[in-house]
Amino acid sequence: MLSSVCVLTASSQEDSKYYRKWMNLSSEDLLKKGDYYLNDVNSNDSALVCYSILVNRYNSSLDKLEKKICYDACLGKVKIYFLFYFDYPKMYESLIMASEISEDLKLKDPQVCMYFAYLYQYFGNFLPKN
């Protein structure tokens, strides 16, 4: 039992070390790292950490490039929650954030609408039929 606690503590400290290191990366580098991990099916949790750090950096005073990076990170989170974790409430939260950022940037990117349609299609199958 004690050895399990030691292993968990060591693992937690190691995770914390990586998190602190990633927090100091530039937004561009962190997005690249997140995209790399997203494409490696066994590393979705690492991709989610990268994207979450980026999304947490978002504020309305960022320059256009930084906002676009935050938008891309939101879409990364959407993909992970939809395709790998099946966590539709978290997917929806990320979609709302992506939608707000895209409005702020005046983007004409159809991805947000496409993912909202996926949600509607999925949950539409469970609506009562009249």
Side-chain angles (χ1 to χ4, degrees):
M1 174 87 168
L2 182 60
S3 64
S4 298
V5 172
C6 292
V7 170
L8 287 175
T9 303
S11 175
S12 176
Q13 289 173 349
E14 189 70 20
D15 291 345
S16 179
K17 182 178 100 177
Y18 280 109
Y19 182 78
R20 283 192 309 273
K21 182 176 145 186
W22 290 357
M23 287 285 293
N24 294 320
L25 289 176
S26 72
S27 295
E28 289 181 39
D29 289 342
L30 198 54
L31 182 63
K32 286 178 189 172
K33 186 177 282 295
D35 290 345
Y36 170 78
Y37 286 129
L38 178 61
N39 293 318
D40 179 3
V41 177
N42 294 320
S43 299
N44 297 320
D45 54 342
S46 296
L48 189 57
V49 170
C50 293
Y51 294 143
S52 295
I53 292 169
L54 287 168
V55 170
N56 288 333
R57 290 180 181 176
Y58 178 76
N59 69 64
S60 59
S61 65
L62 291 174
D63 66 41
K64 198 170 187 170
L65 176 62
E66 288 289 319
K67 287 180 181 179
K68 176 67 167 78
I69 289 171
C70 291
Y71 172 77
D72 291 338
C74 282
L75 290 180
K77 287 178 70 173
V78 165
K79 292 171 189 172
I80 291 168
Y81 288 131
F82 181 66
L83 298 172
F84 302 105
Y85 294 149
F86 310 107
D87 188 339
Y88 303 114
K90 292 279 188 189
M91 177 191 176
Y92 182 75
E93 283 177 24
S94 297
L95 272 173
I96 294 296
M97 182 76 165
S99 179
E100 291 171 1
I101 297 171
S102 72
E103 285 178 21
D104 185 24
L105 289 170
K106 297 175 181 31
L107 289 177
K108 303 274 191 238
D109 186 359
Q111 290 185 80
V112 172
C113 293
M114 178 185 70
Y115 282 109
F116 273 122
Y118 288 157
L119 276 177
Y120 178 77
Q121 179 184 16
Y122 179 77
F123 288 108
N125 291 329
F126 297 105
L127 294 174
K129 309 236 184 315
N130 293 334

